[in-house]
PDB file of all heavy atoms in Angstrom:
ATOM      1  N   GLY A 201       0.810  -1.193  -0.093  1.00 62.00           N
ATOM      2  CA  GLY A 201      -0.007   0.063   0.024  1.00 62.00           C
ATOM      3  C   GLY A 201       0.891   1.210  -0.023  1.00 62.00           C
ATOM      4  O   GLY A 201       1.744   1.465  -0.878  1.00 62.00           O
ATOM      5  N   ARG A 202       0.654   2.098   0.996  1.00 63.00           N
ATOM      6  CA  ARG A 202       1.467   3.328   1.100  1.00 63.00           C
ATOM      7  C   ARG A 202       2.752   3.154   2.027  1.00 63.00           C
ATOM      8  O   ARG A 202       3.413   4.128   2.242  1.00 63.00           O
ATOM      9  CB  ARG A 202       0.567   4.478   1.689  1.00 63.00           C
ATOM     10  CG  ARG A 202      -0.622   4.819   0.833  1.00 63.00           C
ATOM     11  CD  ARG A 202      -1.251   6.206   1.376  1.00 63.00           C
ATOM     12  NE  ARG A 202      -0.344   7.183   1.232  1.00 63.00           N
ATOM     13  CZ  ARG A 202      -0.195   8.152   2.320  1.00 63.00           C
ATOM     14  NH1 ARG A 202      -0.992   8.097   3.332  1.00 63.00           N
ATOM     15  NH2 ARG A 202       0.653   9.130   2.167  1.00 63.00           N
ATOM     16  N   GLN A 203       2.980   1.909   2.405  1.00 69.00           N
ATOM     17  CA  GLN A 203       4.091   1.666   3.286  1.00 69.00           C
ATOM     18  C   GLN A 203       5.029   0.648   2.476  1.00 69.00           C
ATOM     19  O   GLN A 203       4.700  -0.132   1.711  1.00 69.00           O
ATOM     20  CB  GLN A 203       3.794   1.095   4.557  1.00 69.00           C
ATOM     21  CG  GLN A 203       3.181   2.162   5.504  1.00 69.00           C
ATOM     22  CD  GLN A 203       2.817   1.654   6.837  1.00 69.00           C
ATOM     23  OE1 GLN A 203       2.479   0.386   7.044  1.00 69.00           O
ATOM     24  NE2 GLN A 203       2.983   2.337   7.873  1.00 69.00           N
ATOM     25  N   SER A 204       6.399   0.775   2.873  1.00 75.00           N
ATOM     26  CA  SER A 204       7.376  -0.227   2.551  1.00 75.00           C
ATOM     27  C   SER A 204       7.538  -1.063   3.727  1.00 75.00           C
ATOM     28  O   SER A 204       7.660  -0.566   4.874  1.00 75.00           O
ATOM     29  CB  SER A 204       8.655   0.393   2.000  1.00 75.00           C
ATOM     30  OG  SER A 204       8.348   1.081   0.758  1.00 75.00           O
ATOM     31  N   ARG A 205       7.625  -2.329   3.556  1.00 82.00           N
ATOM     32  CA  ARG A 205       7.998  -3.261   4.700  1.00 82.00           C
ATOM     33  C   ARG A 205       9.243  -4.071   4.456  1.00 82.00           C
ATOM     34  O   ARG A 205       9.578  -4.301   3.226  1.00 82.00           O
ATOM     35  CB  ARG A 205       6.782  -4.219   4.883  1.00 82.00           C
ATOM     36  CG  ARG A 205       5.417  -3.526   5.122  1.00 82.00           C
ATOM     37  CD  ARG A 205       4.335  -4.582   5.101  1.00 82.00           C
ATOM     38  NE  ARG A 205       4.470  -5.588   6.082  1.00 82.00           N
ATOM     39  CZ  ARG A 205       4.091  -5.595   7.339  1.00 82.00           C
ATOM     40  NH1 ARG A 205       3.419  -4.451   7.728  1.00 82.00           N
ATOM     41  NH2 ARG A 205       4.193  -6.586   8.100  1.00 82.00           N
ATOM     42  N   LEU A 206       9.886  -4.503   5.544  1.00 87.00           N
ATOM     43  CA  LEU A 206      11.064  -5.255   5.362  1.00 87.00           C
ATOM     44  C   LEU A 206      10.589  -6.658   4.896  1.00 87.00           C
ATOM     45  O   LEU A 206       9.637  -7.206   5.505  1.00 87.00           O
ATOM     46  CB  LEU A 206      11.863  -5.381   6.606  1.00 87.00           C
ATOM     47  CG  LEU A 206      12.510  -4.103   7.055  1.00 87.00           C
ATOM     48  CD1 LEU A 206      13.262  -4.377   8.487  1.00 87.00           C
ATOM     49  CD2 LEU A 206      13.460  -3.446   6.069  1.00 87.00           C
ATOM     50  N   THR A 207      11.254  -7.247   3.939  1.00 89.00           N
ATOM     51  CA  THR A 207      10.956  -8.685   3.593  1.00 89.00           C
ATOM     52  C   THR A 207      11.658  -9.534   4.666  1.00 89.00           C
ATOM     53  O   THR A 207      12.284  -9.068   5.533  1.00 89.00           O
ATOM     54  CB  THR A 207      11.647  -8.981   2.317  1.00 89.00           C
ATOM     55  OG1 THR A 207      13.101  -8.856   2.447  1.00 89.00           O
ATOM     56  CG2 THR A 207      11.153  -7.975   1.073  1.00 89.00           C
ATOM     57  N   GLU A 208      11.515 -10.884   4.573  1.00 90.00           N
ATOM     58  CA  GLU A 208      11.990 -11.747   5.431  1.00 90.00           C
ATOM     59  C   GLU A 208      13.584 -11.667   5.281  1.00 90.00           C
ATOM     60  O   GLU A 208      14.303 -11.692   6.385  1.00 90.00           O
ATOM     61  CB  GLU A 208      11.562 -13.227   5.165  1.00 90.00           C
ATOM     62  CG  GLU A 208      10.227 -13.486   5.585  1.00 90.00           C
ATOM     63  CD  GLU A 208      10.018 -13.275   7.154  1.00 90.00           C
ATOM     64  OE1 GLU A 208      11.024 -13.701   7.896  1.00 90.00           O
ATOM     65  OE2 GLU A 208       8.996 -12.679   7.525  1.00 90.00           O
ATOM     66  N   ASP A 209      14.163 -11.537   4.127  1.00 90.00           N
ATOM     67  CA  ASP A 209      15.531 -11.315   3.965  1.00 90.00           C
ATOM     68  C   ASP A 209      15.971  -9.920   4.588  1.00 90.00           C
ATOM     69  O   ASP A 209      17.201  -9.837   5.132  1.00 90.00           O
ATOM     70  CB  ASP A 209      15.943 -11.300   2.484  1.00 90.00           C
ATOM     71  CG  ASP A 209      15.797 -12.630   1.948  1.00 90.00           C
ATOM     72  OD1 ASP A 209      16.327 -13.675   2.605  1.00 90.00           O
ATOM     73  OD2 ASP A 209      15.354 -12.913   0.737  1.00 90.00           O
ATOM     74  N   GLY A 210      15.014  -8.999   4.502  1.00 89.00           N
ATOM     75  CA  GLY A 210      15.302  -7.639   5.069  1.00 89.00           C
ATOM     76  C   GLY A 210      15.540  -7.783   6.683  1.00 89.00           C
ATOM     77  O   GLY A 210      16.362  -7.065   7.338  1.00 89.00           O
ATOM     78  N   ARG A 211      14.565  -8.512   7.205  1.00 89.00           N
ATOM     79  CA  ARG A 211      14.645  -8.749   8.638  1.00 89.00           C
ATOM     80  C   ARG A 211      15.912  -9.472   9.081  1.00 89.00           C
ATOM     81  O   ARG A 211      16.487  -9.186  10.167  1.00 89.00           O
ATOM     82  CB  ARG A 211      13.394  -9.635   9.114  1.00 89.00           C
ATOM     83  CG  ARG A 211      12.125  -8.782   8.979  1.00 89.00           C
ATOM     84  CD  ARG A 211      10.909  -9.898   9.282  1.00 89.00           C
ATOM     85  NE  ARG A 211       9.587  -9.177   9.007  1.00 89.00           N
ATOM     86  CZ  ARG A 211       8.879  -8.733   9.933  1.00 89.00           C
ATOM     87  NH1 ARG A 211       9.224  -8.735  11.132  1.00 89.00           N
ATOM     88  NH2 ARG A 211       7.619  -8.180   9.556  1.00 89.00           N
ATOM     89  N   ARG A 212      16.277 -10.469   8.300  1.00 90.00           N
ATOM     90  CA  ARG A 212      17.585 -11.131   8.628  1.00 90.00           C
ATOM     91  C   ARG A 212      18.670 -10.285   8.504  1.00 90.00           C
ATOM     92  O   ARG A 212      19.638 -10.204   9.289  1.00 90.00           O
ATOM     93  CB  ARG A 212      17.734 -12.367   7.630  1.00 90.00           C
ATOM     94  CG  ARG A 212      16.713 -13.539   7.875  1.00 90.00           C
ATOM     95  CD  ARG A 212      16.927 -14.544   6.727  1.00 90.00           C
ATOM     96  NE  ARG A 212      18.383 -14.996   6.679  1.00 90.00           N
ATOM     97  CZ  ARG A 212      18.885 -15.502   5.624  1.00 90.00           C
ATOM     98  NH1 ARG A 212      18.170 -15.431   4.452  1.00 90.00           N
ATOM     99  NH2 ARG A 212      20.095 -15.925   5.585  1.00 90.00           N
ATOM    100  N   LEU A 213      18.712  -9.463   7.483  1.00 92.00           N
ATOM    101  CA  LEU A 213      19.917  -8.412   7.243  1.00 92.00           C
ATOM    102  C   LEU A 213      19.844  -7.464   8.422  1.00 92.00           C
ATOM    103  O   LEU A 213      20.996  -7.077   8.855  1.00 92.00           O
ATOM    104  CB  LEU A 213      19.713  -7.786   5.953  1.00 92.00           C
ATOM    105  CG  LEU A 213      20.731  -6.638   5.604  1.00 92.00           C
ATOM    106  CD1 LEU A 213      22.166  -7.268   5.513  1.00 92.00           C
ATOM    107  CD2 LEU A 213      20.336  -5.923   4.260  1.00 92.00           C
ATOM    108  N   LEU A 214      18.723  -7.032   8.951  1.00 88.00           N
ATOM    109  CA  LEU A 214      18.704  -6.085  10.037  1.00 88.00           C
ATOM    110  C   LEU A 214      19.477  -6.574  11.212  1.00 88.00           C
ATOM    111  O   LEU A 214      20.206  -5.797  11.961  1.00 88.00           O
ATOM    112  CB  LEU A 214      17.376  -5.737  10.418  1.00 88.00           C
ATOM    113  CG  LEU A 214      17.184  -4.722  11.436  1.00 88.00           C
ATOM    114  CD1 LEU A 214      17.624  -3.367  11.053  1.00 88.00           C
ATOM    115  CD2 LEU A 214      15.709  -4.537  11.792  1.00 88.00           C
ATOM    116  N   GLU A 215      19.250  -7.845  11.526  1.00 87.00           N
ATOM    117  CA  GLU A 215      20.017  -8.412  12.700  1.00 87.00           C
ATOM    118  C   GLU A 215      21.481  -8.402  12.502  1.00 87.00           C
ATOM    119  O   GLU A 215      22.322  -8.028  13.450  1.00 87.00           O
ATOM    120  CB  GLU A 215      19.502  -9.841  12.967  1.00 87.00           C
ATOM    121  CG  GLU A 215      20.216 -10.598  14.076  1.00 87.00           C
ATOM    122  CD  GLU A 215      19.652 -11.922  14.207  1.00 87.00           C
ATOM    123  OE1 GLU A 215      18.805 -12.314  13.560  1.00 87.00           O
ATOM    124  OE2 GLU A 215      20.264 -12.686  15.091  1.00 87.00           O
ATOM    125  N   TYR A 216      21.977  -8.848  11.260  1.00 90.00           N
ATOM    126  CA  TYR A 216      23.441  -8.805  10.960  1.00 90.00           C
ATOM    127  C   TYR A 216      23.970  -7.392  10.908  1.00 90.00           C
ATOM    128  O   TYR A 216      25.022  -7.058  11.441  1.00 90.00           O
ATOM    129  CB  TYR A 216      23.692  -9.578   9.694  1.00 90.00           C
ATOM    130  CG  TYR A 216      23.530 -10.982   9.723  1.00 90.00           C
ATOM    131  CD1 TYR A 216      22.506 -11.658   9.032  1.00 90.00           C
ATOM    132  CD2 TYR A 216      24.380 -11.914  10.406  1.00 90.00           C
ATOM    133  CE1 TYR A 216      22.306 -13.096   9.089  1.00 90.00           C
ATOM    134  CE2 TYR A 216      24.284 -13.250  10.484  1.00 90.00           C
ATOM    135  CZ  TYR A 216      23.209 -13.797   9.816  1.00 90.00           C
ATOM    136  OH  TYR A 216      23.168 -15.171   9.833  1.00 90.00           O
ATOM    137  N   ALA A 217      23.127  -6.473  10.441  1.00 89.00           N
ATOM    138  CA  ALA A 217      23.637  -5.058  10.205  1.00 89.00           C
ATOM    139  C   ALA A 217      23.934  -4.462  11.603  1.00 89.00           C
ATOM    140  O   ALA A 217      24.930  -3.827  11.910  1.00 89.00           O
ATOM    141  CB  ALA A 217      22.629  -4.368   9.499  1.00 89.00           C
ATOM    142  N   ARG A 218      22.972  -4.741  12.653  1.00 84.00           N
ATOM    143  CA  ARG A 218      23.178  -4.142  13.831  1.00 84.00           C
ATOM    144  C   ARG A 218      24.448  -4.742  14.619  1.00 84.00           C
ATOM    145  O   ARG A 218      25.208  -4.119  15.287  1.00 84.00           O
ATOM    146  CB  ARG A 218      21.948  -4.492  14.689  1.00 84.00           C
ATOM    147  CG  ARG A 218      20.773  -3.620  14.368  1.00 84.00           C
ATOM    148  CD  ARG A 218      19.510  -3.997  15.119  1.00 84.00           C
ATOM    149  NE  ARG A 218      18.455  -3.026  14.987  1.00 84.00           N
ATOM    150  CZ  ARG A 218      17.107  -3.337  15.141  1.00 84.00           C
ATOM    151  NH1 ARG A 218      16.747  -4.517  15.313  1.00 84.00           N
ATOM    152  NH2 ARG A 218      16.202  -2.403  14.998  1.00 84.00           N
ATOM    153  N   ARG A 219      24.681  -6.016  14.427  1.00 85.00           N
ATOM    154  CA  ARG A 219      25.852  -6.609  15.000  1.00 85.00           C
ATOM    155  C   ARG A 219      27.143  -5.986  14.303  1.00 85.00           C
ATOM    156  O   ARG A 219      28.125  -5.858  15.074  1.00 85.00           O
ATOM    157  CB  ARG A 219      25.753  -8.145  14.763  1.00 85.00           C
ATOM    158  CG  ARG A 219      24.747  -8.767  15.672  1.00 85.00           C
ATOM    159  CD  ARG A 219      24.330 -10.191  15.208  1.00 85.00           C
ATOM    160  NE  ARG A 219      25.421 -11.051  15.166  1.00 85.00           N
ATOM    161  CZ  ARG A 219      25.297 -12.289  14.589  1.00 85.00           C
ATOM    162  NH1 ARG A 219      24.101 -12.766  14.220  1.00 85.00           N
ATOM    163  NH2 ARG A 219      26.437 -13.094  14.626  1.00 85.00           N
ATOM    164  N   MET A 220      27.183  -5.953  13.034  1.00 88.00           N
ATOM    165  CA  MET A 220      28.337  -5.388  12.287  1.00 88.00           C
ATOM    166  C   MET A 220      28.566  -3.954  12.722  1.00 88.00           C
ATOM    167  O   MET A 220      29.752  -3.602  12.982  1.00 88.00           O
ATOM    168  CB  MET A 220      28.075  -5.559  10.881  1.00 88.00           C
ATOM    169  CG  MET A 220      28.095  -6.907  10.379  1.00 88.00           C
ATOM    170  SD  MET A 220      27.776  -7.012   8.549  1.00 88.00           S
ATOM    171  CE  MET A 220      29.382  -6.307   7.903  1.00 88.00           C
ATOM    172  N   ILE A 221      27.541  -3.229  12.789  1.00 83.00           N
ATOM    173  CA  ILE A 221      27.811  -1.713  13.188  1.00 83.00           C
ATOM    174  C   ILE A 221      28.258  -1.654  14.707  1.00 83.00           C
ATOM    175  O   ILE A 221      29.159  -0.860  14.935  1.00 83.00           O
ATOM    176  CB  ILE A 221      26.508  -1.003  12.979  1.00 83.00           C
ATOM    177  CG1 ILE A 221      26.164  -0.892  11.596  1.00 83.00           C
ATOM    178  CG2 ILE A 221      26.694   0.450  13.631  1.00 83.00           C
ATOM    179  CD1 ILE A 221      24.773  -0.287  11.294  1.00 83.00           C
ATOM    180  N   ARG A 222      27.767  -2.443  15.510  1.00 78.00           N
ATOM    181  CA  ARG A 222      28.116  -2.451  16.919  1.00 78.00           C
ATOM    182  C   ARG A 222      29.482  -2.850  17.023  1.00 78.00           C
ATOM    183  O   ARG A 222      30.348  -2.213  17.766  1.00 78.00           O
ATOM    184  CB  ARG A 222      27.244  -3.211  17.851  1.00 78.00           C
ATOM    185  CG  ARG A 222      27.468  -3.326  19.293  1.00 78.00           C
ATOM    186  CD  ARG A 222      26.490  -3.946  20.050  1.00 78.00           C
ATOM    187  NE  ARG A 222      26.273  -5.383  19.687  1.00 78.00           N
ATOM    188  CZ  ARG A 222      25.249  -5.907  19.081  1.00 78.00           C
ATOM    189  NH1 ARG A 222      24.222  -4.992  18.859  1.00 78.00           N
ATOM    190  NH2 ARG A 222      25.117  -7.138  18.710  1.00 78.00           N
ATOM    191  N   LEU A 223      29.960  -3.963  16.405  1.00 81.00           N
ATOM    192  CA  LEU A 223      31.358  -4.351  16.410  1.00 81.00           C
ATOM    193  C   LEU A 223      32.290  -3.268  15.843  1.00 81.00           C
ATOM    194  O   LEU A 223      33.404  -3.097  16.436  1.00 81.00           O
ATOM    195  CB  LEU A 223      31.469  -5.704  15.731  1.00 81.00           C
ATOM    196  CG  LEU A 223      32.895  -6.351  15.760  1.00 81.00           C
ATOM    197  CD1 LEU A 223      33.396  -6.564  17.145  1.00 81.00           C
ATOM    198  CD2 LEU A 223      32.826  -7.553  14.908  1.00 81.00           C
ATOM    199  N   ASN A 224      32.025  -2.728  14.807  1.00 81.00           N
ATOM    200  CA  ASN A 224      32.663  -1.624  14.188  1.00 81.00           C
ATOM    201  C   ASN A 224      32.843  -0.390  15.110  1.00 81.00           C
ATOM    202  O   ASN A 224      34.034  -0.077  15.357  1.00 81.00           O
ATOM    203  CB  ASN A 224      32.136  -1.171  12.859  1.00 81.00           C
ATOM    204  CG  ASN A 224      32.810  -0.041  12.221  1.00 81.00           C
ATOM    205  OD1 ASN A 224      33.877  -0.215  11.662  1.00 81.00           O
ATOM    206  ND2 ASN A 224      32.298   1.209  12.531  1.00 81.00           N
ATOM    207  N   ASP A 225      31.741  -0.060  15.789  1.00 71.00           N
ATOM    208  CA  ASP A 225      31.915   1.077  16.736  1.00 71.00           C
ATOM    209  C   ASP A 225      32.605   0.724  17.957  1.00 71.00           C
ATOM    210  O   ASP A 225      33.492   1.644  18.484  1.00 71.00           O
ATOM    211  CB  ASP A 225      30.470   1.487  17.071  1.00 71.00           C
ATOM    212  CG  ASP A 225      29.720   2.153  15.930  1.00 71.00           C
ATOM    213  OD1 ASP A 225      30.311   2.460  14.970  1.00 71.00           O
ATOM    214  OD2 ASP A 225      28.462   2.317  15.998  1.00 71.00           O
ATOM    215  N   GLU A 226      32.529  -0.563  18.418  1.00 69.00           N
ATOM    216  CA  GLU A 226      33.267  -0.854  19.668  1.00 69.00           C
ATOM    217  C   GLU A 226      34.824  -0.899  19.259  1.00 69.00           C
ATOM    218  O   GLU A 226      35.715  -0.524  20.192  1.00 69.00           O
ATOM    219  CB  GLU A 226      32.795  -2.184  20.142  1.00 69.00           C
ATOM    220  CG  GLU A 226      31.428  -2.295  20.712  1.00 69.00           C
ATOM    221  CD  GLU A 226      30.965  -3.611  21.109  1.00 69.00           C
ATOM    222  OE1 GLU A 226      31.656  -4.592  20.690  1.00 69.00           O
ATOM    223  OE2 GLU A 226      29.774  -3.637  21.614  1.00 69.00           O
ATOM    224  N   THR A 227      35.055  -1.443  18.087  1.00 74.00           N
ATOM    225  CA  THR A 227      36.506  -1.502  17.706  1.00 74.00           C
ATOM    226  C   THR A 227      37.139  -0.173  17.619  1.00 74.00           C
ATOM    227  O   THR A 227      38.260   0.123  18.138  1.00 74.00           O
ATOM    228  CB  THR A 227      36.649  -2.239  16.357  1.00 74.00           C
ATOM    229  OG1 THR A 227      36.088  -3.544  16.420  1.00 74.00           O
ATOM    230  CG2 THR A 227      38.086  -2.304  15.944  1.00 74.00           C
ATOM    231  N   LEU A 228      36.507   0.830  16.970  1.00 68.00           N
ATOM    232  CA  LEU A 228      36.993   2.187  16.795  1.00 68.00           C
ATOM    233  C   LEU A 228      37.079   2.768  18.178  1.00 68.00           C
ATOM    234  O   LEU A 228      38.109   3.622  18.459  1.00 68.00           O
ATOM    235  CB  LEU A 228      36.094   2.941  15.882  1.00 68.00           C
ATOM    236  CG  LEU A 228      36.137   2.593  14.431  1.00 68.00           C
ATOM    237  CD1 LEU A 228      35.224   3.429  13.606  1.00 68.00           C
ATOM    238  CD2 LEU A 228      37.638   2.738  13.797  1.00 68.00           C
ATOM    239  N   ALA A 229      36.150   2.607  18.995  1.00 63.00           N
ATOM    240  CA  ALA A 229      36.111   3.309  20.411  1.00 63.00           C
ATOM    241  C   ALA A 229      37.279   2.807  21.166  1.00 63.00           C
ATOM    242  O   ALA A 229      37.776   3.532  22.079  1.00 63.00           O
ATOM    243  CB  ALA A 229      34.917   2.978  21.094  1.00 63.00           C
ATOM    244  N   ALA A 230      37.764   1.675  20.924  1.00 62.00           N
ATOM    245  CA  ALA A 230      38.936   1.133  21.660  1.00 62.00           C
ATOM    246  C   ALA A 230      40.286   1.686  21.277  1.00 62.00           C
ATOM    247  O   ALA A 230      41.256   1.679  21.890  1.00 62.00           O
ATOM    248  CB  ALA A 230      39.095  -0.418  21.502  1.00 62.00           C
ATOM    249  N   PHE A 231      40.199   2.445  20.106  1.00 65.00           N
ATOM    250  CA  PHE A 231      41.494   2.997  19.582  1.00 65.00           C
ATOM    251  C   PHE A 231      41.529   4.599  19.491  1.00 65.00           C
ATOM    252  O   PHE A 231      42.580   5.150  19.246  1.00 65.00           O
ATOM    253  CB  PHE A 231      41.818   2.367  18.309  1.00 65.00           C
ATOM    254  CG  PHE A 231      42.231   0.960  18.382  1.00 65.00           C
ATOM    255  CD1 PHE A 231      41.287  -0.041  18.167  1.00 65.00           C
ATOM    256  CD2 PHE A 231      43.483   0.594  18.797  1.00 65.00           C
ATOM    257  CE1 PHE A 231      41.637  -1.382  18.349  1.00 65.00           C
ATOM    258  CE2 PHE A 231      43.818  -0.832  18.805  1.00 65.00           C
ATOM    259  CZ  PHE A 231      42.881  -1.831  18.608  1.00 65.00           C
ATOM    260  N   ILE A 232      40.367   5.260  19.563  1.00 55.00           N
ATOM    261  CA  ILE A 232      40.410   6.612  19.422  1.00 55.00           C
ATOM    262  C   ILE A 232      39.631   7.258  20.584  1.00 55.00           C
ATOM    263  O   ILE A 232      38.846   6.626  21.409  1.00 55.00           O
ATOM    264  CB  ILE A 232      39.573   6.999  18.128  1.00 55.00           C
ATOM    265  CG1 ILE A 232      38.127   6.577  18.246  1.00 55.00           C
ATOM    266  CG2 ILE A 232      40.320   6.397  16.922  1.00 55.00           C
ATOM    267  CD1 ILE A 232      37.348   7.021  16.940  1.00 55.00           C
ATOM    268  N   ASP A 233      39.911   8.521  20.843  1.00 52.00           N
ATOM    269  CA  ASP A 233      39.281   9.299  21.793  1.00 52.00           C
ATOM    270  C   ASP A 233      37.729   9.629  21.357  1.00 52.00           C
ATOM    271  O   ASP A 233      37.562   9.957  20.314  1.00 52.00           O
ATOM    272  CB  ASP A 233      39.896  10.592  22.172  1.00 52.00           C
ATOM    273  CG  ASP A 233      41.336  10.426  22.715  1.00 52.00           C
ATOM    274  OD1 ASP A 233      41.547   9.349  23.453  1.00 52.00           O
ATOM    275  OD2 ASP A 233      42.173  11.229  22.538  1.00 52.00           O
TER     276      ASP A 233
END
């Protein structure tokens, strides 16, 4: 309709994306102020 929804693959990707971003941010935070 007037909305876009995440597909099942989109939902799976969202879980992985959050984990990748969190790990990236934690890694950088360990080496920079």
Side-chain angles (χ1 to χ4, degrees):
R202 296 191 60 220
Q203 289 187 323
S204 294
R205 299 169 60 88
L206 292 182
T207 64
E208 284 302 316
D209 287 318
R211 292 172 186 258
R212 290 174 57 208
L213 178 61
L214 181 61
E215 179 181 349
Y216 285 113
R218 285 172 169 156
R219 287 161 58 185
M220 291 178 67
I221 292 169
R222 182 169 59 250
L223 180 58
N224 176 81
D225 293 345
E226 289 175 357
T227 302
L228 290 178
F231 292 96
I232 63 175
D233 293 330

